[in-house]
Amino acid sequence: MMKNKSAGRRLPANTADIAFSLTLSAPAMLMTIVFILFPVVDSVYKSLLTFKVSNIISGKPGTWNNFQNYIRLFQNNKLVPSIITTFSFVAVVVIFQFVLGMSLALILNSSIRGSRFLRSVMMIPWVVPTVISALVWMWIYQPQYGLLKYFVSLMGINDFAILNNPSTALWGVVVAALWKQIPLTTLLLLAGLQNVPSDMLEAATVDGASGARRFFSVVFPSMKSVVKITLTMAIIENFKQFPLVWTMTGGGPQDATTTLAILSYREAFVSNNFGSGAAVTTVWMFLMMIVVFFYNKFMGSSDVD
């Protein structure tokens, strides 16, 4: 009799739903803990230790060093210039990437002849591996026989070496990054443009709104979610940009292109000081979180009805 009562007992509906949701989300939560949270915590922990290659070879744990990794980075004047270079690179690339990508998306959305062909050709830089893109631009910039050198020499300029000059090297990398990333930005914004309600555009046109007024009052607010995602992807992608910069300049000349990604790699794998590399990575991660937080706050407070 007791057995039959127990078998017939059921969980409340809310409890059953919660249990079912937890069961479904358990694999994702486990993957997040193992592959994201644990490496992050481990990196922050190692940034507080003296941890070098000898510790890995001998199997000895690192030793607490009273924040010396962070103190040394600030004292040797490496960290702050790298932060400035990183923010400069991200700001310039993201602004130009969005403006040029939106311009191309508007052109391709205007039903011009050959737009499908242009979309296909335009995607070529995006599908090319980043290292190959860097090598292509290194050849274009090559100071003796590069393509750009040829065109510049036609104007009588012979002393031209954009990647070897500390004042122009970062701009050379910026151009290569734009060439690589604008196609995806254009494609995402074009998808947003094609979902703008046509009846709203027609109503604005009937009311006599100019093209610029239709764009800022109807088109842009309608595709705000696409713009937000596109800019978020651009910010994160350029914040962690490594292969393009490392292949083209290695962080030089005179550290003019040393971003946080380059500095972290140098400290960890060139200087063989994993604790110092982890310290740079920790600063880098917190800066990225702050930027994304304020960006989401700004985009969230700019709703247009």
Side-chain angles (χ1 to χ4, degrees):
M1 189 67 181
M2 292 295 291
K3 185 177 181 180
N4 290 338
K5 274 187 177 181
S6 177
R9 192 177 301 162
R10 292 185 177 179
L11 292 172
N14 289 339
T15 306
D17 289 342
I18 293 172
F20 184 66
S21 300
L22 289 175
T23 304
L24 291 179
S25 59
M29 293 170 63
L30 183 63
M31 297 281 284
T32 302
I33 292 171
V34 173
F35 293 107
I36 297 178
L37 292 181
F38 179 74
V40 169
V41 173
D42 183 64
S43 177
V44 174
Y45 173 67
K46 283 190 170 58
S47 74
L48 303 172
L49 307 175
T50 298
F51 191 84
K52 300 185 178 181
V53 175
S54 56
N55 293 90
I56 297 177
I57 296 173
S58 63
K60 293 180 179 178
T63 53
W64 168 260
N65 62 10
N66 295 318
F67 302 101
Q68 283 302 312
N69 291 329
Y70 293 94
I71 295 171
R72 189 177 60 82
L73 283 172
F74 280 100
Q75 287 180 339
N76 62 15
N77 199 27
K78 288 183 178 179
L79 188 61
V80 175
S82 299
I83 292 173
I84 295 172
T85 303
T86 302
F87 274 86
S88 302
F89 178 77
V90 173
V92 172
V93 173
V94 170
I95 290 172
F96 278 97
Q97 185 176 336
F98 179 74
V99 173
L100 296 176
M102 179 62 83
S103 302
L104 286 172
L106 288 170
I107 293 172
L108 293 176
N109 195 46
S110 61
S111 302
I112 62 170
R113 181 178 292 181
S115 60
R116 289 187 178 180
F117 173 75
L118 288 175
R119 288 180 204 175
S120 303
V121 172
M122 190 184 65
M123 295 308 295
I124 291 176
W126 182 58
V127 300
V128 172
T130 304
V131 174
I132 302 300
S133 302
L135 294 174
V136 168
W137 279 95
M138 286 176 71
W139 173 76
I140 293 174
Y141 292 144
Q142 217 287 332
Q144 281 82 37
Y145 52 81
L147 184 63
L148 193 58
K149 167 68 177 179
Y150 170 74
F151 287 112
V152 171
S153 64
L154 295 178
M155 295 184 288
I157 302 173
N158 294 317
D159 186 15
F160 185 81
I162 190 169
L163 294 181
N164 297 335
N165 187 334
S167 61
T168 58
L170 190 62
W171 285 105
V173 181
V174 165
V175 172
L178 289 172
W179 181 81
K180 170 75 178 165
Q181 297 172 29
I182 282 178
L184 179 60
T185 301
T186 304
L187 190 67
L188 292 172
L189 295 174
L190 180 61
L193 283 173
Q194 292 177 343
N195 287 322
V196 175
S198 57
D199 55 340
M200 293 178 65
L201 284 172
E202 291 172 2
T205 305
V206 171
D207 290 342
S210 63
R213 182 64 184 274
R214 288 199 301 272
F215 177 78
F216 288 108
S217 299
V218 178
V219 175
F220 197 79
S222 299
M223 55 186 298
K224 183 182 173 184
S225 59
V226 176
V227 171
K228 186 175 180 179
I229 292 172
T230 303
L231 287 177
T232 302
M233 290 174 62
I235 291 170
I236 294 174
E237 174 67 23
N238 289 292
F239 227 100
K240 62 185 181 64
Q241 182 62 261
F242 174 78
L244 195 67
V245 183
W246 183 255
T247 305
M248 293 183 71
T249 64
Q254 299 176 15
D255 293 333
T257 59
T258 300
T259 60
L260 286 169
I262 300 296
L263 181 62
S264 175
Y265 180 83
R266 281 181 176 173
E267 291 293 319
F269 300 105
V270 177
S271 301
N272 292 323
N273 188 340
F274 295 110
S276 182
V280 178
T281 306
T282 302
V283 174
W284 180 17
M285 179 183 66
F286 278 108
L287 287 174
M288 188 184 296
M289 290 170 63
I290 291 171
V291 169
V292 172
F293 171 78
F294 281 106
Y295 167 74
N296 287 327
K297 198 174 181 60
F298 171 76
M299 292 299 287
S301 63
S302 60
D303 290 331
V304 178
D305 295 328

Short mmCIF file of all heavy atoms in Angstrom, two decimals, residues 110-170:
data_model
loop_
_atom_site.label_atom_id
_atom_site.label_comp_id
_atom_site.label_asym_id
_atom_site.label_seq_id
_atom_site.Cartn_x
_atom_site.Cartn_y
_atom_site.Cartn_z
N SER A 110 20.94 49.00 -52.56
CA SER A 110 20.22 49.90 -53.46
C SER A 110 19.90 49.28 -54.80
O SER A 110 19.60 49.99 -55.75
CB SER A 110 21.05 51.17 -53.67
OG SER A 110 22.30 50.84 -54.25
N SER A 111 19.98 47.96 -54.91
CA SER A 111 19.62 47.22 -56.13
C SER A 111 20.42 47.67 -57.34
O SER A 111 19.89 47.81 -58.45
CB SER A 111 18.11 47.39 -56.42
OG SER A 111 17.35 46.95 -55.34
N ILE A 112 21.71 47.93 -57.12
CA ILE A 112 22.55 48.29 -58.26
C ILE A 112 22.85 47.04 -59.07
O ILE A 112 22.76 45.90 -58.57
CB ILE A 112 23.87 48.93 -57.79
CG1 ILE A 112 24.68 47.94 -56.94
CG2 ILE A 112 23.61 50.20 -57.04
CD1 ILE A 112 26.07 48.41 -56.64
N ARG A 113 23.19 47.23 -60.32
CA ARG A 113 23.48 46.09 -61.20
C ARG A 113 24.77 45.40 -60.73
O ARG A 113 25.77 46.07 -60.44
CB ARG A 113 23.64 46.59 -62.64
CG ARG A 113 23.92 45.46 -63.64
CD ARG A 113 24.02 46.00 -65.04
NE ARG A 113 22.72 46.50 -65.50
CZ ARG A 113 22.52 47.02 -66.70
NH1 ARG A 113 23.53 47.12 -67.55
NH2 ARG A 113 21.32 47.45 -67.05
N GLY A 114 24.73 44.07 -60.68
CA GLY A 114 25.91 43.30 -60.28
C GLY A 114 26.14 43.23 -58.79
O GLY A 114 27.24 42.93 -58.35
N SER A 115 25.09 43.52 -57.98
CA SER A 115 25.28 43.53 -56.53
C SER A 115 25.63 42.13 -55.99
O SER A 115 26.42 42.00 -55.06
CB SER A 115 24.03 44.06 -55.84
OG SER A 115 22.91 43.24 -56.14
N ARG A 116 25.04 41.08 -56.59
CA ARG A 116 25.37 39.71 -56.13
C ARG A 116 26.82 39.39 -56.39
O ARG A 116 27.50 38.78 -55.56
CB ARG A 116 24.47 38.69 -56.84
CG ARG A 116 23.02 38.73 -56.38
CD ARG A 116 22.25 37.58 -56.98
NE ARG A 116 20.87 37.58 -56.51
CZ ARG A 116 19.97 36.68 -56.87
NH1 ARG A 116 20.29 35.71 -57.72
NH2 ARG A 116 18.74 36.74 -56.38
N PHE A 117 27.32 39.78 -57.55
CA PHE A 117 28.74 39.53 -57.87
C PHE A 117 29.64 40.30 -56.91
O PHE A 117 30.64 39.77 -56.41
CB PHE A 117 29.01 39.95 -59.31
CG PHE A 117 30.45 39.88 -59.69
CD1 PHE A 117 31.07 38.65 -59.93
CD2 PHE A 117 31.22 41.04 -59.80
CE1 PHE A 117 32.41 38.58 -60.27
CE2 PHE A 117 32.56 40.98 -60.14
CZ PHE A 117 33.15 39.74 -60.38
N LEU A 118 29.27 41.56 -56.64
CA LEU A 118 30.06 42.38 -55.72
C LEU A 118 30.09 41.77 -54.32
O LEU A 118 31.12 41.77 -53.65
CB LEU A 118 29.49 43.80 -55.65
CG LEU A 118 29.74 44.67 -56.89
CD1 LEU A 118 29.03 46.00 -56.75
CD2 LEU A 118 31.23 44.89 -57.11
N ARG A 119 28.95 41.23 -53.88
CA ARG A 119 28.91 40.60 -52.54
C ARG A 119 29.87 39.42 -52.49
O ARG A 119 30.58 39.21 -51.50
CB ARG A 119 27.50 40.12 -52.23
CG ARG A 119 26.53 41.22 -51.95
CD ARG A 119 25.17 40.64 -51.64
NE ARG A 119 24.10 41.59 -51.90
CZ ARG A 119 22.82 41.33 -51.82
NH1 ARG A 119 22.42 40.12 -51.47
NH2 ARG A 119 21.91 42.24 -52.07
N SER A 120 29.88 38.61 -53.57
CA SER A 120 30.75 37.44 -53.58
C SER A 120 32.22 37.83 -53.58
O SER A 120 33.03 37.28 -52.82
CB SER A 120 30.44 36.58 -54.82
OG SER A 120 29.08 36.21 -54.84
N VAL A 121 32.58 38.82 -54.43
CA VAL A 121 33.98 39.25 -54.52
C VAL A 121 34.41 39.91 -53.22
O VAL A 121 35.53 39.71 -52.74
CB VAL A 121 34.15 40.23 -55.70
CG1 VAL A 121 35.54 40.84 -55.69
CG2 VAL A 121 33.88 39.51 -57.01
N MET A 122 33.50 40.68 -52.62
CA MET A 122 33.82 41.42 -51.42
C MET A 122 34.16 40.51 -50.24
O MET A 122 34.91 40.88 -49.34
CB MET A 122 32.62 42.30 -51.05
CG MET A 122 32.88 43.31 -49.97
SD MET A 122 31.36 44.18 -49.60
CE MET A 122 30.38 42.83 -48.92
N MET A 123 33.64 39.29 -50.24
CA MET A 123 33.86 38.38 -49.11
C MET A 123 35.23 37.70 -49.15
O MET A 123 35.61 37.02 -48.22
CB MET A 123 32.77 37.31 -49.08
CG MET A 123 31.37 37.85 -48.80
SD MET A 123 31.31 38.90 -47.33
CE MET A 123 31.71 37.70 -46.05
N ILE A 124 35.96 37.86 -50.26
CA ILE A 124 37.26 37.17 -50.39
C ILE A 124 38.22 37.53 -49.25
O ILE A 124 38.82 36.64 -48.63
CB ILE A 124 37.90 37.49 -51.77
CG1 ILE A 124 37.06 36.81 -52.87
CG2 ILE A 124 39.34 36.99 -51.83
CD1 ILE A 124 37.54 37.14 -54.27
N PRO A 125 38.43 38.82 -48.91
CA PRO A 125 39.36 39.12 -47.81
C PRO A 125 38.96 38.47 -46.49
O PRO A 125 39.83 38.08 -45.71
CB PRO A 125 39.28 40.66 -47.70
CG PRO A 125 38.83 41.11 -49.03
CD PRO A 125 37.90 40.05 -49.54
N TRP A 126 37.65 38.32 -46.27
CA TRP A 126 37.21 37.75 -45.00
C TRP A 126 37.52 36.25 -44.90
O TRP A 126 37.84 35.76 -43.82
CB TRP A 126 35.70 37.98 -44.83
CG TRP A 126 35.17 37.45 -43.53
CD1 TRP A 126 35.58 37.79 -42.28
CD2 TRP A 126 34.16 36.47 -43.36
NE1 TRP A 126 34.87 37.08 -41.34
CE2 TRP A 126 33.99 36.26 -41.99
CE3 TRP A 126 33.37 35.75 -44.26
CZ2 TRP A 126 33.07 35.35 -41.48
CZ3 TRP A 126 32.45 34.85 -43.76
CH2 TRP A 126 32.31 34.66 -42.38
N VAL A 127 37.43 35.53 -46.03
CA VAL A 127 37.67 34.08 -45.98
C VAL A 127 39.16 33.74 -46.02
O VAL A 127 39.55 32.62 -45.71
CB VAL A 127 36.93 33.36 -47.13
CG1 VAL A 127 35.45 33.59 -47.04
CG2 VAL A 127 37.45 33.79 -48.49
N VAL A 128 40.00 34.71 -46.41
CA VAL A 128 41.44 34.45 -46.42
C VAL A 128 41.96 34.39 -44.99
O VAL A 128 41.59 35.24 -44.16
CB VAL A 128 42.17 35.58 -47.19
CG1 VAL A 128 43.68 35.45 -47.06
CG2 VAL A 128 41.76 35.56 -48.66
N PRO A 129 42.79 33.39 -44.65
CA PRO A 129 43.34 33.33 -43.28
C PRO A 129 44.09 34.61 -42.91
O PRO A 129 44.70 35.26 -43.78
CB PRO A 129 44.31 32.14 -43.35
CG PRO A 129 43.78 31.29 -44.45
CD PRO A 129 43.18 32.24 -45.46
N THR A 130 44.03 34.96 -41.64
CA THR A 130 44.60 36.24 -41.19
C THR A 130 46.10 36.33 -41.49
O THR A 130 46.59 37.40 -41.89
CB THR A 130 44.36 36.41 -39.68
OG1 THR A 130 42.96 36.30 -39.42
CG2 THR A 130 44.83 37.77 -39.21
N VAL A 131 46.81 35.24 -41.30
CA VAL A 131 48.26 35.27 -41.56
C VAL A 131 48.53 35.54 -43.04
O VAL A 131 49.46 36.29 -43.39
CB VAL A 131 48.90 33.94 -41.11
CG1 VAL A 131 50.37 33.89 -41.50
CG2 VAL A 131 48.75 33.76 -39.61
N ILE A 132 47.73 34.94 -43.92
CA ILE A 132 47.90 35.18 -45.36
C ILE A 132 47.59 36.64 -45.69
O ILE A 132 48.29 37.27 -46.49
CB ILE A 132 46.98 34.24 -46.17
CG1 ILE A 132 47.28 32.78 -45.84
CG2 ILE A 132 47.16 34.48 -47.67
CD1 ILE A 132 48.69 32.35 -46.12
N SER A 133 46.56 37.19 -45.05
CA SER A 133 46.25 38.62 -45.24
C SER A 133 47.44 39.49 -44.84
O SER A 133 47.79 40.45 -45.53
CB SER A 133 45.03 39.00 -44.41
OG SER A 133 43.91 38.22 -44.75
N ALA A 134 48.05 39.13 -43.72
CA ALA A 134 49.21 39.90 -43.25
C ALA A 134 50.36 39.82 -44.25
O ALA A 134 51.02 40.83 -44.54
CB ALA A 134 49.66 39.37 -41.89
N LEU A 135 50.60 38.63 -44.81
CA LEU A 135 51.69 38.47 -45.78
C LEU A 135 51.41 39.25 -47.06
O LEU A 135 52.32 39.84 -47.66
CB LEU A 135 51.89 36.98 -46.10
CG LEU A 135 52.39 36.12 -44.93
CD1 LEU A 135 52.42 34.65 -45.32
CD2 LEU A 135 53.79 36.57 -44.50
N VAL A 136 50.13 39.27 -47.49
CA VAL A 136 49.76 40.04 -48.68
C VAL A 136 50.06 41.52 -48.48
O VAL A 136 50.67 42.18 -49.34
CB VAL A 136 48.26 39.84 -49.00
CG1 VAL A 136 47.80 40.85 -50.05
CG2 VAL A 136 48.00 38.42 -49.48
N TRP A 137 49.69 42.05 -47.30
CA TRP A 137 49.92 43.48 -47.05
C TRP A 137 51.39 43.79 -46.79
O TRP A 137 51.85 44.88 -47.08
CB TRP A 137 49.03 43.95 -45.89
CG TRP A 137 47.65 44.22 -46.38
CD1 TRP A 137 46.57 43.38 -46.36
CD2 TRP A 137 47.19 45.41 -47.05
NE1 TRP A 137 45.48 43.96 -46.95
CE2 TRP A 137 45.83 45.21 -47.38
CE3 TRP A 137 47.79 46.61 -47.39
CZ2 TRP A 137 45.08 46.17 -48.04
CZ3 TRP A 137 47.04 47.58 -48.05
CH2 TRP A 137 45.70 47.36 -48.36
N MET A 138 52.13 42.83 -46.27
CA MET A 138 53.57 43.04 -46.13
C MET A 138 54.22 43.18 -47.50
O MET A 138 55.14 43.98 -47.68
CB MET A 138 54.20 41.87 -45.35
CG MET A 138 53.88 41.89 -43.86
SD MET A 138 54.53 40.46 -43.01
CE MET A 138 56.28 40.80 -43.06
N TRP A 139 53.73 42.39 -48.48
CA TRP A 139 54.25 42.51 -49.85
C TRP A 139 53.86 43.86 -50.44
O TRP A 139 54.67 44.52 -51.11
CB TRP A 139 53.70 41.37 -50.70
CG TRP A 139 54.07 41.55 -52.14
CD1 TRP A 139 55.28 41.32 -52.73
CD2 TRP A 139 53.21 42.04 -53.18
NE1 TRP A 139 55.23 41.65 -54.07
CE2 TRP A 139 53.98 42.08 -54.38
CE3 TRP A 139 51.87 42.43 -53.23
CZ2 TRP A 139 53.43 42.51 -55.58
CZ3 TRP A 139 51.35 42.85 -54.43
CH2 TRP A 139 52.13 42.89 -55.59
N ILE A 140 52.63 44.30 -50.21
CA ILE A 140 52.19 45.60 -50.74
C ILE A 140 53.04 46.73 -50.15
O ILE A 140 53.43 47.67 -50.85
CB ILE A 140 50.70 45.82 -50.42
CG1 ILE A 140 49.84 44.82 -51.21
CG2 ILE A 140 50.28 47.26 -50.74
CD1 ILE A 140 48.37 44.87 -50.87
N TYR A 141 53.35 46.62 -48.85
CA TYR A 141 54.11 47.67 -48.18
C TYR A 141 55.63 47.53 -48.37
O TYR A 141 56.37 48.39 -47.91
CB TYR A 141 53.83 47.64 -46.67
CG TYR A 141 52.43 48.05 -46.27
CD1 TYR A 141 51.79 47.43 -45.21
CD2 TYR A 141 51.74 49.07 -46.93
CE1 TYR A 141 50.50 47.79 -44.82
CE2 TYR A 141 50.47 49.44 -46.57
CZ TYR A 141 49.86 48.80 -45.51
OH TYR A 141 48.59 49.17 -45.13
N GLN A 142 56.08 46.44 -48.97
CA GLN A 142 57.52 46.17 -49.05
C GLN A 142 58.27 47.40 -49.59
O GLN A 142 57.93 47.93 -50.64
CB GLN A 142 57.74 44.96 -49.99
CG GLN A 142 58.87 44.05 -49.54
CD GLN A 142 60.23 44.67 -49.78
OE1 GLN A 142 60.40 45.48 -50.68
NE2 GLN A 142 61.21 44.29 -48.97
N PRO A 143 59.31 47.89 -48.87
CA PRO A 143 59.94 49.18 -49.23
C PRO A 143 60.78 49.16 -50.49
O PRO A 143 61.12 50.21 -51.02
CB PRO A 143 60.80 49.49 -47.99
CG PRO A 143 61.03 48.18 -47.34
CD PRO A 143 59.83 47.34 -47.61
N GLN A 144 61.16 47.96 -51.03
CA GLN A 144 61.97 47.94 -52.25
C GLN A 144 61.14 47.63 -53.50
O GLN A 144 61.26 48.29 -54.52
CB GLN A 144 63.10 46.89 -52.14
CG GLN A 144 64.30 47.34 -51.33
CD GLN A 144 64.08 47.16 -49.85
OE1 GLN A 144 63.45 46.20 -49.43
NE2 GLN A 144 64.59 48.09 -49.05
N TYR A 145 60.29 46.60 -53.42
CA TYR A 145 59.56 46.18 -54.63
C TYR A 145 58.05 46.04 -54.38
O TYR A 145 57.35 45.41 -55.17
CB TYR A 145 60.13 44.86 -55.15
CG TYR A 145 60.21 43.78 -54.09
CD1 TYR A 145 59.10 43.02 -53.74
CD2 TYR A 145 61.42 43.53 -53.44
CE1 TYR A 145 59.18 42.04 -52.77
CE2 TYR A 145 61.51 42.55 -52.47
CZ TYR A 145 60.40 41.81 -52.14
OH TYR A 145 60.49 40.85 -51.18
N GLY A 146 57.53 46.61 -53.33
CA GLY A 146 56.10 46.49 -53.03
C GLY A 146 55.21 47.27 -53.99
O GLY A 146 55.66 48.21 -54.66
N LEU A 147 53.96 46.86 -54.08
CA LEU A 147 53.01 47.50 -55.00
C LEU A 147 52.81 48.97 -54.64
O LEU A 147 52.78 49.85 -55.51
CB LEU A 147 51.67 46.75 -54.94
CG LEU A 147 50.59 47.23 -55.92
CD1 LEU A 147 51.04 47.02 -57.36
CD2 LEU A 147 49.28 46.47 -55.66
N LEU A 148 52.65 49.25 -53.34
CA LEU A 148 52.44 50.63 -52.90
C LEU A 148 53.68 51.48 -53.16
O LEU A 148 53.58 52.66 -53.52
CB LEU A 148 52.06 50.66 -51.41
CG LEU A 148 51.51 51.97 -50.88
CD1 LEU A 148 50.27 52.41 -51.64
CD2 LEU A 148 51.20 51.85 -49.40
N LYS A 149 54.85 50.87 -52.99
CA LYS A 149 56.11 51.56 -53.26
C LYS A 149 56.15 52.01 -54.72
O LYS A 149 56.61 53.13 -55.02
CB LYS A 149 57.27 50.61 -52.94
CG LYS A 149 58.62 51.06 -53.46
CD LYS A 149 59.13 52.29 -52.76
CE LYS A 149 60.51 52.64 -53.26
NZ LYS A 149 61.01 53.86 -52.62
N TYR A 150 55.65 51.16 -55.64
CA TYR A 150 55.65 51.50 -57.07
C TYR A 150 54.79 52.74 -57.33
O TYR A 150 55.21 53.68 -58.01
CB TYR A 150 55.15 50.31 -57.88
CG TYR A 150 54.90 50.64 -59.33
CD1 TYR A 150 55.96 50.82 -60.21
CD2 TYR A 150 53.60 50.80 -59.82
CE1 TYR A 150 55.74 51.14 -61.55
CE2 TYR A 150 53.37 51.12 -61.14
CZ TYR A 150 54.45 51.29 -62.00
OH TYR A 150 54.21 51.62 -63.31
N PHE A 151 53.55 52.73 -56.78
CA PHE A 151 52.65 53.87 -57.02
C PHE A 151 53.18 55.15 -56.38
O PHE A 151 53.05 56.24 -56.94
CB PHE A 151 51.25 53.55 -56.49
CG PHE A 151 50.52 52.55 -57.33
CD1 PHE A 151 50.25 51.28 -56.84
CD2 PHE A 151 50.12 52.87 -58.62
CE1 PHE A 151 49.58 50.35 -57.62
CE2 PHE A 151 49.45 51.93 -59.41
CZ PHE A 151 49.18 50.68 -58.91
N VAL A 152 53.76 55.02 -55.20
CA VAL A 152 54.30 56.21 -54.52
C VAL A 152 55.50 56.76 -55.27
O VAL A 152 55.68 57.98 -55.38
CB VAL A 152 54.68 55.84 -53.07
CG1 VAL A 152 55.44 56.98 -52.42
CG2 VAL A 152 53.44 55.54 -52.25
N SER A 153 56.32 55.86 -55.86
CA SER A 153 57.49 56.32 -56.61
C SER A 153 57.09 57.10 -57.86
O SER A 153 57.85 57.95 -58.34
CB SER A 153 58.38 55.13 -56.98
OG SER A 153 57.69 54.27 -57.88
N LEU A 154 55.89 56.82 -58.41
CA LEU A 154 55.41 57.57 -59.57
C LEU A 154 55.18 59.03 -59.22
O LEU A 154 55.21 59.91 -60.09
CB LEU A 154 54.10 56.96 -60.09
CG LEU A 154 54.20 55.53 -60.67
CD1 LEU A 154 52.83 55.05 -61.10
CD2 LEU A 154 55.17 55.50 -61.85
N MET A 155 54.94 59.30 -57.93
CA MET A 155 54.74 60.69 -57.48
C MET A 155 56.05 61.32 -57.01
O MET A 155 56.05 62.40 -56.42
CB MET A 155 53.70 60.72 -56.35
CG MET A 155 52.31 60.28 -56.81
SD MET A 155 51.06 60.43 -55.50
CE MET A 155 51.54 59.08 -54.43
N GLY A 156 57.16 60.61 -57.23
CA GLY A 156 58.47 61.16 -56.89
C GLY A 156 58.89 60.91 -55.46
O GLY A 156 59.87 61.51 -54.99
N ILE A 157 58.16 60.06 -54.73
CA ILE A 157 58.52 59.75 -53.33
C ILE A 157 59.28 58.43 -53.31
O ILE A 157 58.72 57.38 -53.68
CB ILE A 157 57.26 59.66 -52.45
CG1 ILE A 157 56.48 60.98 -52.51
CG2 ILE A 157 57.64 59.33 -51.02
CD1 ILE A 157 55.15 60.93 -51.79
N ASN A 158 60.53 58.47 -52.93
CA ASN A 158 61.34 57.26 -52.94
C ASN A 158 61.58 56.70 -51.55
O ASN A 158 61.82 55.51 -51.38
CB ASN A 158 62.70 57.55 -53.62
CG ASN A 158 62.50 57.87 -55.09
OD1 ASN A 158 61.72 57.23 -55.80
ND2 ASN A 158 63.20 58.92 -55.56
N ASP A 159 61.55 57.56 -50.54
CA ASP A 159 61.78 57.11 -49.16
C ASP A 159 60.45 56.73 -48.54
O ASP A 159 59.79 57.53 -47.88
CB ASP A 159 62.46 58.23 -48.36
CG ASP A 159 62.86 57.75 -46.98
OD1 ASP A 159 62.88 56.52 -46.77
OD2 ASP A 159 63.13 58.59 -46.11
N PHE A 160 60.02 55.48 -48.80
CA PHE A 160 58.70 55.05 -48.32
C PHE A 160 58.81 53.65 -47.73
O PHE A 160 59.08 52.67 -48.42
CB PHE A 160 57.71 55.04 -49.49
CG PHE A 160 56.31 54.71 -49.07
CD1 PHE A 160 55.49 55.68 -48.53
CD2 PHE A 160 55.82 53.42 -49.19
CE1 PHE A 160 54.20 55.38 -48.14
CE2 PHE A 160 54.54 53.10 -48.79
CZ PHE A 160 53.73 54.08 -48.27
N ALA A 161 58.63 53.56 -46.41
CA ALA A 161 58.67 52.26 -45.72
C ALA A 161 57.70 52.34 -44.55
O ALA A 161 58.10 52.63 -43.43
CB ALA A 161 60.08 51.94 -45.26
N ILE A 162 56.43 52.09 -44.84
CA ILE A 162 55.39 52.38 -43.84
C ILE A 162 55.51 51.53 -42.58
O ILE A 162 55.26 52.01 -41.48
CB ILE A 162 53.99 52.22 -44.49
CG1 ILE A 162 52.90 52.74 -43.56
CG2 ILE A 162 53.72 50.77 -44.88
CD1 ILE A 162 51.54 52.86 -44.24
N LEU A 163 55.89 50.25 -42.73
CA LEU A 163 55.98 49.37 -41.55
C LEU A 163 57.29 49.54 -40.79
O LEU A 163 57.43 49.03 -39.68
CB LEU A 163 55.82 47.91 -41.98
CG LEU A 163 54.45 47.52 -42.54
CD1 LEU A 163 54.42 46.04 -42.90
CD2 LEU A 163 53.34 47.83 -41.55
N ASN A 164 58.26 50.23 -41.39
CA ASN A 164 59.54 50.43 -40.71
C ASN A 164 59.60 51.77 -39.98
O ASN A 164 60.59 52.08 -39.34
CB ASN A 164 60.70 50.36 -41.72
CG ASN A 164 60.80 48.98 -42.35
OD1 ASN A 164 60.37 48.00 -41.76
ND2 ASN A 164 61.35 48.92 -43.55
N ASN A 165 58.56 52.57 -40.13
CA ASN A 165 58.54 53.89 -39.51
C ASN A 165 57.62 53.86 -38.28
O ASN A 165 56.43 53.52 -38.39
CB ASN A 165 58.01 54.91 -40.52
CG ASN A 165 58.13 56.34 -40.01
OD1 ASN A 165 58.13 56.58 -38.81
ND2 ASN A 165 58.22 57.28 -40.93
N PRO A 166 58.13 54.19 -37.08
CA PRO A 166 57.29 54.12 -35.86
C PRO A 166 56.03 54.99 -35.93
O PRO A 166 55.02 54.68 -35.30
CB PRO A 166 58.23 54.63 -34.76
CG PRO A 166 59.59 54.37 -35.28
CD PRO A 166 59.52 54.57 -36.76
N SER A 167 56.07 56.07 -36.71
CA SER A 167 54.90 56.96 -36.77
C SER A 167 53.84 56.48 -37.75
O SER A 167 52.70 56.98 -37.72
CB SER A 167 55.35 58.37 -37.14
OG SER A 167 55.98 58.37 -38.42
N THR A 168 54.17 55.53 -38.63
CA THR A 168 53.19 55.06 -39.62
C THR A 168 52.89 53.57 -39.54
O THR A 168 51.97 53.10 -40.20
CB THR A 168 53.69 55.37 -41.05
OG1 THR A 168 54.96 54.73 -41.25
CG2 THR A 168 53.83 56.87 -41.27
N ALA A 169 53.67 52.83 -38.75
CA ALA A 169 53.52 51.37 -38.73
C ALA A 169 52.12 50.95 -38.28
O ALA A 169 51.50 50.05 -38.87
CB ALA A 169 54.57 50.76 -37.81
N LEU A 170 51.59 51.62 -37.24
CA LEU A 170 50.26 51.23 -36.74
C LEU A 170 49.19 51.48 -37.80
O LEU A 170 48.24 50.70 -37.93
CB LEU A 170 49.94 51.99 -35.46
CG LEU A 170 48.70 51.51 -34.70
CD1 LEU A 170 48.88 50.06 -34.24
CD2 LEU A 170 48.41 52.40 -33.50
#
